Amino acid sequence: MADRRLQVFHAVARHGSFTRAAEALFMTQPAVTFQIKQLEEQYNTRLFDRGHGRVTLTAAGELVMAYAERILGLTDELESRVSELTDELSGILHLGTSTTIAGYWLPFLLEGFKRRYPRVIPRVSVGNSQLIESRVMDRNLDVGLIEIVTEQPTLDRRRAGTDELQLIVAPDHPLAGEKSVRAEQLVMYPLIHREPGNAIRDLVDQFFASAGIPFEDLNVTAELGSLSTVKHMVAKGFGVAIASAAAIRSAVKAGRLVGIPLEPRLYTPLEVIVLKDKFRSRLVNTFADFVTEEIVRMSSATKN
């Protein structure tokens, strides 16, 4: 078990505040301050600079933080490995997903997995696919759910399925009655685009480029990292966007958005990635297997 003082130190460094660390740890602020004071006395040096309402790490604090993350990570891994000696999986699972997968697929995946393995605690990070890929490679995440085909040699990738991309417009938009739309039809309309590094953005740029339309000719009115914000802005008539058909299904059903197939059809891959490691835990392997099978099943169900 990791030293409690290291856990408290890590929380203060991560939150940049004794007060927020105390709230996160369900401790009093004086108790947090006491733990940090003990640690600083042990190492006979100051670990934090305090001022302007925020604490920052000193040079010594940076060094302790690097080791604290490794020690706490090993503690989590130890607990997972010991739990594997029993029949029931438990422990913390560090999971990263793209924003689109988080917006539709993830709730169903976590619900199904938690029903089978209630003692597993998922810690979820959400970002664009490139960020999630790099964090899995850096061992900051155990499993990644992304929308790009990774070619990194250090990663094991599992193709779980594909998700169709569609144009989304407000119900009263001039294109709302179209059966399908081509890239040329969209140039005149304001485009609500995804942020650089987003997998769907890259596919959309390729969609227009294949039609001979360079990025500079697009009428980009916003670049957003949040899928829910994209859908809200489109529904309010600020422009059109291209998004996952699965992620917009409920909004389309409710009449807030209209989804229109693209011509030619455009699909994004759904990939499960883990680090190539012969010592990979049973928890990581079990979760990767589960979500791969579930995405395949859910993809088939949505097409029927």
Side-chain angles (χ1 to χ4, degrees):
M1 189 71 180
D3 189 321
R4 179 62 171 171
R5 293 173 300 176
L6 277 184
Q7 294 175 327
V8 173
F9 167 82
H10 183 265
V12 173
R14 186 161 51 88
H15 291 283
S17 163
F18 282 74
T19 301
R20 289 198 292 272
E23 292 172 351
L25 295 170
F26 300 101
M27 297 172 64
T28 64
Q29 184 171 333
V32 169
T33 302
F34 177 73
Q35 295 278 3
I36 297 301
K37 183 179 178 182
Q38 279 197 324
L39 200 60
E40 289 181 327
E41 288 177 352
Q42 176 180 336
Y43 293 120
N44 193 31
T45 187
R46 194 160 38 86
L47 301 177
F48 292 104
D49 284 324
R50 301 154 173 86
H52 304 293
R54 184 173 176 83
V55 296
T56 57
L57 290 168
T58 63
E62 294 279 2
L63 179 63
V64 174
M65 183 61 173
Y67 277 93
E69 290 186 330
R70 290 164 62 182
I71 291 168
L72 294 174
L74 286 171
T75 299
D76 289 343
E77 183 179 336
L78 173 62
E79 291 176 356
S80 295
R81 293 298 176 87
V82 171
S83 72
E84 289 175 4
L85 298 177
T86 68
D87 290 333
E88 185 178 7
L89 283 178
S90 64
I92 295 173
L93 178 74
H94 298 273
L95 169 65
T97 83
S98 71
T99 52
T100 296
I101 292 175
Y104 172 74
W105 306 88
L106 185 61
F108 300 102
L109 297 173
L110 290 185
E111 177 190 359
F113 193 76
K114 285 288 288 183
R115 288 187 186 281
R116 292 192 191 184
Y117 306 103
R119 294 183 60 199
V120 174
I121 302 173
R123 285 184 179 169
V124 181
S125 300
V126 179
N128 64 51
S129 292
Q130 290 181 357
L131 175 63
I132 299 303
E133 179 187 56
S134 67
R135 294 196 65 194
V136 173
M137 291 172 61
D138 292 340
R139 296 181 179 272
N140 292 317
L141 294 172
D142 299 318
V143 184
L145 308 179
I146 60 175
E147 300 163 89
I148 56 176
V149 178
T150 181
E151 297 180 355
Q152 298 295 338
T154 60
L155 296 178
D156 276 335
R157 53 174 285 258
R158 309 178 186 193
R159 170 62 69 89
T162 59
D163 187 12
E164 184 177 2
L165 300 182
Q166 292 186 349
L167 180 75
I168 54 173
V169 299
D172 58 353
H173 193 274
L175 294 175
E178 297 289 329
K179 299 297 182 183
S180 64
V181 290
R182 303 183 310 279
E184 296 85 351
Q185 295 174 261
L186 305 180
V187 177
M188 63 183 293
Y189 297 106
L191 175 66
I192 299 173
H193 216 1
R194 301 305 299 272
E195 82 284 10
N198 182 282
I200 289 180
R201 177 193 175 106
D202 292 341
L203 288 171
V204 171
D205 288 347
Q206 293 169 20
F207 173 73
F208 283 107
S210 297
I213 302 170
F215 178 82
E216 294 75 19
D217 289 353
L218 301 178
N219 183 14
V220 176
T221 187
E223 296 181 338
L224 304 175
S226 165
L227 176 61
S228 61
T229 305
V230 171
K231 293 190 290 186
H232 178 81
M233 295 293 283
V234 171
K236 295 300 181 181
F238 286 97
V240 304
I242 294 176
S244 155
I248 64 169
R249 186 168 289 111
S250 61
V252 170
K253 187 175 181 180
R256 296 190 299 271
L257 293 172
V258 173
I260 308 168
L262 299 171
E263 183 61 45
R265 295 291 181 103
L266 187 61
Y267 297 89
T268 180
L270 301 173
E271 300 261 321
V272 180
I273 57 171
V274 292
L275 198 65
K276 288 181 179 177
D277 189 344
K278 63 181 179 180
F279 299 112
R280 201 162 59 214
S281 72
R282 185 163 67 95
L283 172 56
V284 170
N285 287 330
T286 300
F287 183 79
D289 291 341
F290 174 83
V291 294
T292 301
E293 294 170 3
E294 280 297 288
I295 291 175
V296 170
R297 183 188 64 78
M298 291 169 65
S299 296
S300 299
T302 59
K303 292 173 183 176
N304 294 333

